[in-house]
Structure formats: structure tokens, C-alpha cells
Amino acid sequence: MEGSSLQDNPGIVVQDGSALVNDANISDDVVTDNATLDDLSTEYNLKDINISEYPEGTPVLKFDSVEDLNKFLATEDAAPKTIETTINNTEPLPVSKLGLSQPLALRSSNYTTVRKTKTVNTGFANVNLKADIRVYSSGSFREIKSCHEWTDHTGFAFSLDWDEKYNWHKISKDHSSVTVAGGGVLNYVIFVSGIGKMYSRSIDIKFTYKL
């Protein structure tokens, strides 16, 4: 938005976006030649914002040039937006239904919580889907009893926020595997050429953990 400036909001935290892309040695080949800010706004669905309206402590990526912004956006856009994979237990043991028929007194109470994480690297930050999976064991018998999942983001501190939209899990009928999913929107506040912009990208992650 024209007229807003970084001086209008001294409480924000300014990050040097140009230094970020230059330190990453991003090739000029990734950018659209002679792209204007209007071109980038259309291509990457950038939204106009007023920097002065953001709360104290908001991190803002400041770019010295539209070309530097172009490098940042091209790198982010090229990174995966979805990931789906399978994680096998490093020491797989068969899940036998015979274990369920054992007398309760013969089942030694042995619960283990296994934390599994899958990460999407956006180019400059990471979005993580994490799960604490509770596994019951008795001899060679294993079964998944419960799961708690969540998402977060790590890496550079310049992202405005990670807005989680959903998370869920589903344990298989034989309790030998659990599918975990989560997703949301990563938002960045950007300042270039005296104009504030918001860049957002959706990320979805799903994995299946098998005993």
C-alpha cells in the first residue's frame, strides 16, 4: 500500500531479505526477466497490506530491489507444497492377532511413545508435522494404541506466522499403522519499493507410520 512505511511502525522487526537471498547464492536464472512488482503480485498472489497496522514484534522481510524479491518468491514457490510418505519402524516386528487373545495377566504392560516428524522445506524455513505415537508391546506383539499430532514451523524467524488449518490421524483396524496429516498456511510480510505485501503459501503433509 502506497504511503505506509517502516517508519510508521517502529515496533516491527525488520529482516534483511536481500541479504537472505544473496547469502543463499540463488541463481539469476530463477527470476522472470524485468518483472515488476505488479507482475510478481499477479504471479504469486501478493496482497496489499499496510505495515503500520501490524502489531509490535511482527517480523517483516525488507528487500532492496524487486529482483531480490523475485528470487525469494521463485525459490519459495519451487519448493514442495505437499509431501506424502511412509515411515517404517526401524526394527519391524509382526503384529499378531494372537497377542490380543493372551490373558491379561500374561501381558506385560509395556508402552513406548515414538515421536515421528516429517518436514517440508520451503527454501528458507521448515514446516513440520509431528506425532507422538503410543505403542503397546508384549513379546513380539505390537499395536498402536493412540496418537497425538501437531504442526509447527522452524528455521528463520522472518515468517509472520504458521496458520494451522487442520491435523488428524487414523489408526488402522489391526493397529499396525497410523496415518497422520496436517496442513495450513505460511504467511510472510514483505516490504519492497515502499510497499507492503503479504505472501502466503499452503502446505500439506501426510505420512503413514508402520510397525
Side-chain angles (χ1 to χ4, degrees):
M1 176 179 290
E2 295 288 355
S4 64
S5 71
L6 297 180
Q7 287 71 33
D8 292 336
N9 191 343
I12 62 176
V13 179
V14 179
Q15 305 277 344
D16 191 340
S18 290
L20 188 70
V21 296
N22 291 331
D23 289 346
N25 294 317
I26 299 172
S27 171
D28 292 336
D29 294 340
V30 304
V31 304
T32 303
D33 291 338
N34 301 316
T36 66
L37 184 55
D38 286 341
D39 293 334
L40 297 181
S41 296
T42 299
E43 183 174 357
Y44 297 104
N45 195 30
L46 305 183
K47 304 297 185 184
D48 288 334
I49 61 170
N50 189 334
I51 292 291
S52 64
E53 296 176 354
Y54 279 80
E56 182 176 352
T58 296
V60 175
L61 266 179
K62 181 180 180 296
F63 293 92
D64 297 333
S65 68
V66 173
E67 182 180 12
D68 287 345
L69 174 60
N70 196 342
K71 289 181 180 180
F72 170 80
L73 293 172
T75 302
E76 283 283 299
D77 190 66
K81 296 179 177 63
T82 62
I83 184 171
E84 185 169 348
T85 189
T86 298
I87 305 173
N88 290 310
N89 184 15
T90 54
E91 296 181 359
L93 291 171
V95 175
S96 169
K97 292 187 178 299
L98 294 176
L100 295 175
S101 63
Q102 291 178 349
L104 186 60
L106 297 181
R107 299 190 201 178
S108 60
S109 181
N110 185 4
Y111 289 90
T112 302
T113 299
V114 179
R115 176 165 295 181
K116 293 298 176 181
T117 302
K118 289 306 297 182
T119 298
V120 170
N121 181 274
T122 69
F124 297 98
N126 296 321
V127 174
N128 313 294
L129 172 62
K130 301 178 180 180
D132 282 345
I133 303 164
R134 191 162 172 79
V135 179
Y136 169 81
S137 63
S138 178
S140 63
F141 173 73
R142 298 287 188 277
E143 69 175 357
I144 295 171
K145 301 296 290 185
S146 63
C147 179
H148 170 66
E149 70 285 343
W150 69 97
T151 61
D152 62 23
H153 78 282
T154 55
F156 295 99
F158 57 70
S159 54
L160 171 62
D161 70 345
W162 165 246
D163 182 13
E164 182 182 275
K165 297 298 185 182
Y166 69 93
N167 66 67
W168 55 264
H169 73 268
K170 183 177 182 180
I171 299 174
S172 64
K173 290 183 178 180
D174 64 0
H175 290 255
S176 66
S177 67
V178 58
T179 297
V180 185
V185 178
L186 193 62
N187 299 300
Y188 300 95
V189 175
I190 291 168
F191 193 80
V192 61
S193 302
I195 299 174
K197 293 284 187 177
M198 171 74 77
Y199 169 62
S200 302
R201 57 169 294 174
S202 297
I203 296 176
D204 300 281
I205 310 174
K206 181 191 291 184
F207 67 82
T208 299
Y209 173 73
K210 294 184 176 181
L211 291 175

